Amino acid sequence: MRRFTLILLSSLLGALAVTTSAEADLDTGQVVVRYRDRQAVVHYADADAARRALPVLRRRAGVVSARPRYVARPADFDDTGVAKAAGTPGGWQAVEWDLVGPFGIDAPGAWTQLTAMGARGGAGIKVAVVDTGVAYSNRPPYRRSPDLPAKRMRSGYDFVANDGFPNDRSGHGTFVASAIAAAADNHFGMIGVAYRADIMPVRVLDSLDEGTSSAIARGIRYAVDHDARVINLSVEFFDLLSGRPYTITSSPDVRDAIRYAGEHRVPVVVAAGNSGEAAIPSRVLDDSIVYVGATTEHGCLADYSNFGHGVDVVAPGGGSDASLPNDPHCAPNAKAGRNVQQVSFKHGDYGDFAIPHDRSGRLGLKGTSMAAPHVTGVIALLLASKVLGAHPTTKQVAQRLTDTARDLGAPGHDRYYAAGLVDAAAALRGAPTPG
């Protein structure tokens, strides 16, 4: 993984107004200057001098960008961290290790930068959740999740029932949608990575979390044709006869649909799978797909996560550590790390919103299905920022994620962690976080 060396410079270059908010403070007198092959932090006497210097710096030969440096700090949201309003304000920070913990994705750092850019929380980006549907509306017997605001739910489709009402019957899709875009400052529950993004529910899996490749392919095409900017596909394929997993691009119709998405510059984020195998996923359509493996709260590969050459990045998925003897972050015999927590419902209990438990009775869920929406949320933030332009290619988006991922495991791109742990703040900055 490519690294940049920070070079400290001083200058007398001495006003460009910069918007700040409760979520972002200017780090007095500092400007981050990006060149083609390196990054530098330039120090000035005070914040006003730094602002005045920006136009001059941006005109210099070889300068790609020059931005004020902001202090990243946990956003002061009042969400409770439990699926009810009667909870501790700000309690989400104690629960969502996947966003703010030592091996989280540094969502607050990205939120700080986005607020300064005027694209707070990924506002305006439509994310398609191609899954079991979403608890997006009050349509008896279904109810909308309190953590998914009605004003940010967009029209979708149900390719199982073949109608325009993609209500969730499972809970899986609602969990995924919440990981991507659960509301902030609603005095309830958790926060999603892109907490102001829009959600388009596309139902392709039934109440048993099963579906066909043709339904999934149609769901992907529908999302592209209805202006989704990024698609989350927390789905893995299995052979019905043998029970063996296989890569989703083995299906010709799904492969064609993903190619179609790539042609329209819509990245498809796919869960790498939970079989602990190295042969899945493949690298077919590598420029259109971002495959996501899962890590634990300890910063280790999760014991269930697929890995290998097809995976692009890893993200928090929760659960127990894999057995990787040379990795000091892995302790497979120790107590499992926490699962990922979001608000959803138990199978069949459409109106009973809670934090679900996994099959072992542990709070929250684990899996690459939980890892993928972290990356989808980061892409929504990245698209909202327009740091890659208004409509970057899927290859440009994937490259940005891999270039700025936090290195884990062996130095550089490796067998288990691929490019590393996705880093929301670094993806917006354009510089990797040291491992």
Side-chain angles (χ1 to χ4, degrees), residues 319-386:
S320 298
D321 296 349
S323 181
L324 303 180
N326 296 321
D327 191 330
H329 294 140
C330 297
N333 297 321
K335 181 180 178 181
R338 287 178 289 178
N339 289 343
V340 175
Q341 297 187 37
Q342 284 292 343
V343 175
S344 187
F345 60 89
K346 297 178 183 178
H347 182 275
D349 294 336
Y350 305 126
D352 185 14
F353 291 99
I355 301 168
H357 291 72
D358 66 14
R359 293 176 181 175
S360 301
R362 300 181 72 238
L363 190 64
L365 300 180
K366 63 183 179 182
T368 56
S369 280
M370 285 66 249
H374 288 85
V375 174
T376 301
V378 172
I379 292 176
L381 299 181
L382 187 61
L383 295 174
S385 75
K386 297 184 179 179

Side-chain angles (χ1 to χ4, degrees), residues 104-347:
I105 65 170
D106 191 12
W111 298 337
T112 296
Q113 296 177 70
L114 272 173
T115 298
M117 296 173 179
R120 191 175 174 213
I125 300 300
K126 187 187 292 186
V127 180
V129 176
V130 179
D131 210 287
T132 63
V134 174
Y136 76 99
S137 70
N138 294 316
R139 177 176 167 264
Y142 310 106
R143 286 182 54 207
R144 179 180 56 81
S145 168
D147 231 6
L148 295 173
K151 64 183 179 181
R152 292 198 284 104
M153 297 298 104
R154 297 293 172 255
S155 297
Y157 197 80
D158 186 333
F159 287 94
V160 179
N162 291 311
D163 60 35
F165 305 103
N167 293 96
D168 192 359
R169 281 79 155 169
S170 159
H172 186 273
T174 299
F175 192 103
V176 168
S178 299
I180 297 167
D185 273 342
N186 64 344
H187 308 278
F188 179 92
M190 312 298 165
I191 298 174
V193 178
Y195 59 85
R196 294 187 71 186
D198 298 331
I199 291 293
M200 174 198 292
V202 181
R203 184 172 180 244
V204 297
L205 304 177
D206 63 19
S207 61
L208 300 178
D209 300 342
E210 297 177 349
T212 65
S213 61
S214 62
I216 292 169
R218 285 184 290 157
I220 293 169
R221 288 178 177 272
Y222 176 92
V224 174
D225 291 342
H226 290 79
D227 302 320
R229 298 293 307 279
V230 56
I231 296 170
N232 190 93
L233 192 60
S234 287
V235 174
E236 55 182 328
F237 282 11
F238 290 88
D239 184 280
L240 285 176
L241 297 178
S242 68
R244 292 288 299 165
Y246 63 98
T247 187
I248 64 168
T249 52
S250 297
S251 166
D253 47 0
V254 172
R255 188 167 62 244
D256 289 344
I258 292 174
R259 184 179 292 110
Y260 181 74
E263 291 168 352
H264 288 79
R265 302 191 174 202
V266 181
V268 181
V269 180
V270 182
N274 302 327
S275 303
E277 297 193 10
I280 301 169
S282 74
R283 298 197 66 174
V284 175
L285 297 179
D286 195 38
D287 289 342
S288 298
I289 303 174
V290 179
Y291 281 114
V292 185
T295 51
T296 69
E297 185 179 8
H298 307 140
C300 180
L301 184 74
D303 62 355
Y304 53 79
S305 180
N306 289 347
F307 55 96
H309 69 282
V311 177
D312 295 291
V313 291
V314 293
S320 298
D321 296 349
S323 181
L324 303 180
N326 296 321
D327 191 330
H329 294 140
C330 297
N333 297 321
K335 181 180 178 181
R338 287 178 289 178
N339 289 343
V340 175
Q341 297 187 37
Q342 284 292 343
V343 175
S344 187
F345 60 89
K346 297 178 183 178
H347 182 275

